[in-house]
Amino acid sequence: MPFRQVLPTLLLLPAVAASAQASEPWEMEHSGTTANLRGIHAVGAGIAWASGANGTVLRTEDSGYMWQSCAMPPGAEKLDFRGIWAWDANTAIVMSSGPGDQSRLYKTTDGCSHWKLLYTNPDKDGFWDAIAFWDKDNGLLLGDPVKAPSRKQKEFQTFTNVNPIGVWDRQTYDFYDEMGVSSEAGAFAASNSALFILGHSAWFGTGGLSSPYVFVGDRFTGSAPHTICTCASPPPDNIWFSHRVPVPLASGNDSSGVFSLVFRDPSYGVAVGGDYKKPGDSSGTAAWTSDGGKTWTAATNPPHGYRSAVAFNSEHKAWITVGTNGTDVSYDDGKTWSPLDTGNWNALGLPWVVGPGGRIAKLVSLDATTRLH
């Protein structure tokens, strides 16, 4: 597809706060698009970026009062941008998810007026699920299992960028026989939150026809066992997913498993999911850990349906989770959940939430009176 340079169009329309468009605890904002939005990243100081289908990227610099439509990355007209990661009002990386070369990374450094293609999935059968960064120069990219060279089974792919950003090294893991991981396992690109990194640790959740698991990793220096690196020499600072543990979430279908996981500190985390083909089924939709992901316990009172994203609100010491049939909140570290709304949502980047049809809203209240009864 020929390159076309498109300047960003500013959507000078204020956020809409009319009660008819409010969905407590959210206040609806005007995105200026009808695209299905699945990526959202809040930078701070009123800056946030969002992304979605058909090459859509949005940005706000004023806490959502106005959302700007960014220039489309070259050749991205049919790409589905499932993940976005930003550092300020000018710098961001957007990830598309799709089969083979439809999974790509683009970067902007001038406030989304122009984009550079950073990396394209080298696996024709691959599919990228999530991307996260420790800092501007160190990130991790997760891809679905593909058949490794000289091996019969499929294996998960992770890619670690090498400074300067734009060069990515691939690692596959050859411990699947001993761990008994099904070749039908996969990760979900529902909200760019199947992967989470914090400090020197990383986690990613899986599902599909295989039972749901969380893979636990740590950063290392030099070589690590069970790792095949396609680079000339191992990068100096990398991540090694050394083991996986079962998670008591919905299982048995290609549409079920872990969709999102977040840790508020190195020990305590929450995972959510379920079965996206059964949005109203509350069974197996949330679990929590207090030992860094070594063991997981199912919520005693789970969210009221399938959930695609979860986040921790430090101000209210509350966990918030969203899905296609609404929002739930937990004030006891994910053990019990209460419904807040019945909106249709995909992803969280607090204080924002995004969904289909260009839906963007901002968290305005966690008052107990907003809860559904």
Side-chain angles (χ1 to χ4, degrees):
M1 184 174 296
F3 171 78
R4 293 192 303 164
Q5 180 175 327
V6 184
L7 296 178
T9 301
L10 299 184
L11 301 173
L12 302 180
L13 295 174
V16 178
S19 59
Q21 292 181 283
S23 179
E24 294 181 344
W26 311 103
E27 183 175 88
M28 299 299 294
E29 297 182 342
H30 187 89
S31 69
T33 181
T34 58
N36 186 14
L37 300 178
R38 287 189 179 274
I40 178 73
H41 190 216
V43 177
I47 300 168
W49 297 67
S51 64
N54 302 318
T56 301
V57 183
L58 307 173
R59 183 187 66 154
T60 182
E61 299 179 83
D62 55 11
S63 296
Y65 183 76
M66 291 183 297
W67 284 91
Q68 306 165 358
S69 179
C70 291
M72 184 177 293
E77 291 84 355
K78 297 182 180 180
L79 296 184
D80 192 359
F81 287 135
R82 299 288 185 95
I84 191 162
W85 197 279
W87 292 270
D88 50 47
N90 294 316
T91 311
I93 286 180
V94 66
M95 178 200 75
S96 63
S97 297
D101 63 5
Q102 299 304 296
S103 288
R104 305 177 194 172
L105 298 181
Y106 293 88
K107 183 180 181 180
T108 181
T109 57
D110 60 3
C112 74
S113 292
H114 304 86
W115 296 87
K116 176 184 178 182
L117 177 62
L118 283 185
Y119 192 45
T120 300
N121 195 338
D123 302 306
K124 65 182 181 64
D125 298 323
F127 190 102
W128 287 348
D129 300 297
I131 190 169
F133 288 85
W134 286 279
D135 52 45
K136 284 188 177 181
D137 295 324
N138 294 278
L140 188 64
L141 177 63
L142 172 66
D144 269 351
V146 298
K147 188 171 292 186
S150 303
R151 298 183 65 82
K152 294 182 179 181
Q153 72 270 24
K154 293 181 179 180
E155 297 172 349
F156 275 103
Q157 313 290 298
T158 62
F159 303 80
T160 307
N161 68 290
V162 178
N163 194 15
I165 200 166
V167 179
W168 293 78
D169 282 331
R170 173 178 30 191
Q171 294 79 44
T172 62
Y173 300 92
D174 62 357
F175 49 62
Y176 287 91
D177 285 339
E178 65 186 79
M179 296 175 83
V181 176
S182 168
S183 62
E184 300 301 323
F188 292 103
S191 61
N192 195 44
S193 56
L195 167 71
F196 189 80
I197 57 179
L198 179 66
H200 292 281
S201 299
W203 303 262
F204 70 84
T206 71
L209 294 177
S210 171
S211 298
Y213 291 98
V214 165
F215 285 74
V216 182
D218 294 293
R219 298 179 82 175
F220 68 89
T221 300
S223 300
H226 306 305
T227 303
I228 304 170
C229 185
T230 59
C231 48
S233 60
D237 198 8
N238 214 324
I239 192 79
W240 170 39
F241 289 94
S242 57
H243 59 287
R244 63 93 174 96
V245 293
V247 183
L249 294 186
S251 63
N253 297 313
D254 59 2
S255 54
S256 63
V258 179
F259 282 75
S260 176
L261 73 167
V262 168
F263 281 73
R264 62 168 167 81
D265 58 48
S267 297
Y268 210 98
V270 168
V272 300
D275 189 332
Y276 74 80
K277 292 182 179 179
K278 302 176 182 178
D281 188 349
S282 64
S283 59
T285 54
W288 56 272
T289 180
S290 60
D291 57 11
K294 297 176 183 178
T295 60
W296 293 82
T297 303
T300 54
N301 187 23
H304 70 282
Y306 151 75
R307 293 293 173 260
S308 58
V310 66
F312 182 68
N313 183 294
S314 58
E315 178 184 355
H316 295 91
K317 294 182 173 57
W319 292 87
I320 299 172
T321 186
V322 298
T324 53
N325 77 340
T327 306
D328 294 87
V329 64
S330 173
Y331 293 99
D332 60 2
D333 271 333
K335 298 176 179 65
T336 63
W337 297 83
S338 300
L340 290 177
D341 81 333
T342 57
N344 188 351
W345 308 112
N346 289 328
L348 281 170
L350 290 179
W352 283 278
V353 63
V354 296
R359 286 163 55 86
I360 294 182
K362 190 174 183 180
L363 185 69
V364 292
S365 174
L366 278 180
D367 190 285
T369 60
T370 67
R371 301 184 191 182
L372 301 177
H373 298 286

